[in-house]
């Protein structure tokens, strides 16, 4: 990360000049203690700076945790429906600011405008859903084994929680964590990805406008090592929720394990679409193009493998390559653009390295394969949508997460083999099956080893009212969204109320042997 130190005076009102943005700690916008900043740039034109952000460090994190810890007792006692009212107001503000935030997202992160609107919409949906949770937060009651005794289990907030988020869904993913954490009564220290601090800041602005009291949400920008890890290390932070790569997730989860700290990880994927011989090919093609190249393949659920029955293999490949070749690469605010840039130069080099690996492994490059360094595209991080054919399931391009516009087409001879190949990676986020045979569809739902299964739809397109997350190396057993959203942010408290007026001993008074004593 570069640590330039431009003027710290905000350049409000000058749309051409990038602004300098601070942390938000204890209800105030404050500079990093170091006084340094880092730039966030437009991946479609890396010479365009979107804004400068606080290059924070452990002292800033400490101040943020101080503020969150101070705010916790009052926020915890605020009735959940009142907490939820603020989140509902946030949904309305997000609706009002949807277009503005989506356009900023295109500039900062590169996804095309219709997808950026979808990203904001996901946060709106989550806000509305979580606002309802303020009047649920269900616990349960159950009978006691003793007379005149009442038994129940209620949810309690965890305390101060740390949220560490990636850049690929820069508003939606923070919302999946922030809204359930807040409605459940936790206070938050939020560290966004260093590639998308502006989008994260806009979400924080929305929460402030919605009426969140000072200290309840604290926002600290800066690197994973200097900000992320100090959040993890602070003993007052009781839970961490991270979405990111497997390597970072393992590092954070390892440390949380040592510290006996709650940790929820949503990590990488190597998702697959399976195409059976009876599939509706037009439907498959639309889904495969969207699944593989939506968000330039930078979705944790991207279809980076397409497993096709040999009876339809040539037909699929010919038509898929034709459609992929027709995709328009460009800046996401321009009309007609289908695929935007990848996030940064490092990712661009990494994607292209995988293309070289694929060629060396003997896969057949049938479409794309190049970095675009010409004309307007040359100013940004553009990689051609790329298709490899005749990929073997054990090749690296079929096993490792590439996180770019590259997909591997793998031929198979049967439904059973398709399932085996689909399940044959260390990841388990999203798998899809295209078939018109209802028996096979149900078999696939049963046999596919992933947190999300689609039938006759691509691997992307999750809705917030269902649990989101994966198995195997994709996560550590938690799920975001849906009825599971509050799990990672609440502790169960079992409560027994004895109204008998005498000491009653569970397991002893009720044991039949007592009668013989
Ligand atoms: P990343 O490099 O792992 O970063 C994720 C977050 O962790 C960022 O905020 C990053 O900060 C921070 N971080 C990095 N090193 C850290 C450390 N040592 N300690 C604490 N925090 C640290 O991931 P990314 O490139 O942003 O996102 C892409 C990855 O996310 C892909 O693997 C994708 O599959 C995964 N993802 C998974 C899901 C899911 O739900 N399963 C959803 C979306 C994305 P900096 O930005 O400052 O480095």
């Amino acid at each position: 990360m570069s640590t330039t130190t431009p003027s710290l005076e905000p350049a409000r009102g000058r749309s051409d000049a990038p602004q300098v943005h601070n942390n938000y700690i204890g209800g105030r916008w404050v500079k990093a203690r170091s006084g340094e900043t880092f730039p966030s740039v437009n991946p479609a034109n890396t010479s365009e700076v979107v804004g400068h952000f606080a290059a924070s460090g452990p002292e800033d994190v400490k101040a943020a945790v101080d503020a969150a810890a101070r705010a916790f007792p009052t926020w915890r006692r605020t009735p959940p429906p009142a907490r939820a009212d603020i989140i509902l107001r946030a949904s309305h503000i997000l609706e009002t600011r949807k277009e503005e935030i989506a356009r900023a997202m295109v500039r900062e992160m590169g996804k095309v405008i219709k997808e950026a609107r979808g990203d904001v919409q996901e946060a709106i949906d989550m806000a509305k859903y979580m606002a309802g949770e303020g009047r649920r937060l269900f616990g349960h009651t159950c009978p006691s084994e003793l007379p005149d005794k009442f038994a129940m289990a209620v949810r309690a907030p965890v305390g101060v929680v740390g949220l560490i988020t990636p850049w690929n869904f820069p508003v939606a993913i923070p919302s999946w964590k922030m809204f359930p954490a807040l409605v459940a009564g936790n206070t938050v220290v939020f560290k966004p990805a260093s590639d998308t601090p502006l989008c994260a800041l806009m979400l924080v602005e929305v929460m402030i406008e919605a009426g969140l009291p000072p200290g309840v949400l604290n926002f600290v920008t800066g690197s994973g090592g200097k900000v992320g890890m100090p959040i993890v290390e602070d003993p007052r932070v009781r839970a961490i929720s991270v979405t990111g790569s497997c390597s970072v997730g393992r590092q954070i989860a390892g440390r949380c394990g040592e510290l006996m700290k709650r940790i929820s990880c949503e990590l990488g994927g190597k998702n697959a679409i399976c195409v059976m011989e009876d599939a509706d090919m037009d439907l498959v093609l639309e889904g495969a193009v969207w699944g593989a190249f939506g968000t330039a393949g930078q979705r944790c659920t991207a279809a980076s493998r397409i497993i096709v029955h040999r009876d339809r293999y040539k037909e699929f490949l010919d038509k898929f390559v034709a459609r992929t070749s027709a995709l328009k690469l460009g800046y996401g605010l321009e009309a007609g653009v289908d695929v935007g840039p990848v996030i940064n130069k490092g990712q661009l080099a990494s994607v292209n390295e995988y293309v070289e690996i694929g060629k060396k492994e003997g896969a057949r490059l049938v479409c794309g394969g190049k970095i675009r360094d010409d004309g307007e595209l040359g100013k940004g991080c553009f990689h051609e949508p790329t298709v490899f054919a005749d990929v073997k399931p054990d090749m690296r391009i079929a096993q490792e997460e590439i996180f770019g516009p590259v997909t591997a087409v793998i031929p198979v001879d049967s439904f059973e083999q398709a399932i085996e190949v689909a399940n044959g990676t260390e990841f388990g986020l999203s798998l899809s099956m295209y078939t018109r045979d209802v028996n096979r569809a149900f078999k696939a739902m049963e046999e596919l080893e992933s947190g999300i299964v689609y039938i006759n739809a691509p691997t992307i397109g999750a809705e917030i009212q269902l649990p989101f997350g994966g198995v195997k190396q994709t996560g550590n057993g938690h799920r975001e969204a849906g009825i599971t959203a509050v799990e990672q942010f609440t502790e169960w408290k079992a409560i027994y109320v004895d109204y008998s007026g005498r000491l009653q001993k569970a397991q002893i008074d009720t044991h039949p042997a007592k009668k013989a004593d």
Side-chain angles (χ1 to χ4, degrees):
M1 182 190 301
S2 114
T3 51
T4 51
T5 312
S7 157
L8 289 172
E9 287 301 311
R12 290 204 183 275
R14 287 175 54 202
S15 58
D16 54 336
Q19 283 185 220
V20 178
H21 302 279
N22 294 329
N23 291 327
Y24 184 71
I25 296 176
R28 289 171 51 233
W29 292 99
V30 289
K31 294 174 195 169
R33 298 288 162 101
S34 66
E36 293 186 334
T37 63
F38 66 96
S40 172
V41 301
N42 181 345
N45 177 357
T46 53
S47 64
E48 182 190 329
V49 175
V50 169
H52 296 278
F53 294 84
S56 313
E59 286 193 347
D60 304 292
V61 170
K62 184 181 171 305
V65 180
D66 287 346
R70 270 198 308 275
F72 178 63
T74 306
W75 186 243
R76 177 174 70 82
R77 286 190 203 101
T78 304
R83 300 196 292 247
D85 282 348
I86 296 174
I87 293 169
L88 188 61
R89 272 201 296 281
S91 77
H92 299 145
I93 299 164
L94 280 166
E95 279 170 335
T96 310
R97 293 186 65 182
K98 179 173 173 178
E99 190 62 20
E100 176 206 352
I101 297 174
R103 293 179 84 82
M105 192 182 298
V106 177
R107 269 185 87 205
E108 187 175 48
M109 181 272 160
K111 62 176 68 173
V112 299
I113 185 68
K114 68 173 185 233
E115 293 183 30
R117 290 185 189 119
D119 195 310
V120 183
Q121 186 59 45
E122 209 162 307
I124 295 167
D125 296 344
M126 186 56 105
K128 289 181 177 168
Y129 187 71
M130 280 300 130
E133 196 60 32
R135 288 182 187 271
R136 288 189 297 268
L137 282 173
F138 291 136
H140 58 263
T141 62
C142 49
S144 166
E145 65 183 48
L146 293 160
D148 299 331
K149 195 169 174 185
F150 190 84
M152 62 187 158
V154 300
R155 290 179 187 277
V158 178
V160 178
V161 300
L163 311 183
I164 301 176
T165 57
W167 46 264
N168 66 332
F169 278 85
V171 171
I173 290 180
S175 83
W176 294 358
K177 298 182 189 299
M178 190 185 292
F179 299 158
L182 293 174
V183 82
N186 304 280
T187 54
V188 169
V189 178
F190 168 34
K191 182 223 137 10
S194 296
D195 282 305
T196 49
L198 180 64
C199 294
L201 175 137
M202 292 175 109
L203 180 61
V204 171
E205 285 176 349
V206 167
M207 298 312 292
I208 298 167
E209 192 183 338
L212 212 56
V216 172
L217 171 64
N218 304 278
F219 171 71
V220 188
T221 54
S223 72
K226 288 189 176 156
V227 174
M229 228 359 132
I231 295 175
V232 173
E233 294 283 348
D234 193 304
R236 296 166 299 167
V237 176
R238 301 282 293 275
I240 297 289
S241 179
V242 58
T243 297
S245 59
C246 285
S247 61
V248 166
R250 271 191 212 111
Q251 209 181 326
I252 295 176
R255 194 63 192 121
C256 285
E258 286 167 358
L259 296 167
M260 292 294 282
K261 194 170 285 204
R262 271 172 169 249
I263 166 73
S264 159
C265 293
E266 295 295 341
L267 309 175
K270 191 69 190 176
N271 316 289
I273 288 175
C274 302
V275 183
M276 290 300 95
E277 67 273 38
D278 62 345
D280 174 339
M281 192 51 79
D282 288 334
L283 195 62
V284 167
L285 288 162
E286 261 186 274
V289 170
W290 174 230
F293 303 117
T295 324
Q298 302 169 109
R299 289 191 183 213
C300 50
T301 51
S304 55
R305 297 179 296 156
I306 304 176
I307 299 164
V308 187
H309 195 285
R310 220 176 281 277
D311 288 358
R312 307 290 295 278
Y313 185 71
K314 187 173 179 324
E315 176 195 359
F316 169 78
L317 203 56
D318 290 348
K319 290 180 176 169
F320 184 55
V321 167
R323 290 207 186 197
T324 303
S325 311
L327 291 173
K328 186 173 172 201
L329 201 56
Y331 185 36
L333 286 177
E334 277 165 20
V337 166
D338 300 299
V339 180
V342 299
I343 188 69
N344 56 38
K345 294 274 182 203
Q347 189 63 16
L348 187 63
S350 163
V351 168
N352 205 246
E353 204 179 309
Y354 271 107
V355 172
E356 293 309 312
I357 290 168
K359 287 196 247 174
K360 281 198 195 103
E361 285 180 308
R364 189 157 58 94
L365 179 65
V366 290
C367 185
K370 288 203 265 321
I371 289 175
R372 292 295 297 269
D373 50 12
D374 52 308
E376 284 299 301
L377 296 182
K379 294 179 182 168
C381 308
F382 289 95
H383 196 285
E384 290 174 343
T386 297
V387 181
F388 278 105
D390 305 347
V391 176
K392 300 216 164 46
D394 59 353
M395 287 179 177
R396 283 184 63 191
I397 57 164
Q399 288 290 326
E400 297 173 20
E401 185 181 47
I402 298 174
F403 224 57
V406 179
T407 196
V409 186
I410 306 172
V412 289
D413 293 306
S414 64
F415 172 78
E416 290 72 20
Q417 195 188 357
I419 299 275
E420 190 186 324
V421 171
N423 289 342
T425 74
E426 62 174 356
F427 302 103
L429 184 53
S430 181
L431 295 171
S432 129
M433 173 64 67
Y434 280 82
T435 179
R436 283 190 267 210
D437 178 336
V438 69
N439 294 352
R440 278 180 166 182
F442 271 85
K443 199 74 192 154
M445 291 179 225
E446 202 175 291
E447 296 296 327
L448 290 171
E449 289 173 11
S450 54
I452 306 167
V453 170
Y454 291 93
I455 302 295
N456 293 329
T459 50
I460 66 182
E463 299 177 34
I464 60 89
Q465 65 276 21
L466 269 77
F468 185 95
V471 301
K472 302 196 273 184
Q473 294 294 307
T474 293
N476 62 345
H478 291 272
R479 292 289 184 277
E480 302 201 303
I483 55 167
T484 46
V486 292
E487 292 297 339
Q488 54 173 310
F489 299 114
T490 51
E491 295 277 10
W492 280 110
K493 187 180 279 188
I495 300 174
Y496 302 90
V497 182
D498 193 320
Y499 54 97
S500 70
R502 62 185 184 279
L503 173 65
Q504 302 197 85
K505 302 193 193 84
Q507 294 90 41
I508 295 172
D509 290 358
T510 48
H511 196 279
K514 183 186 177 283
K515 295 193 174 69
D517 288 347

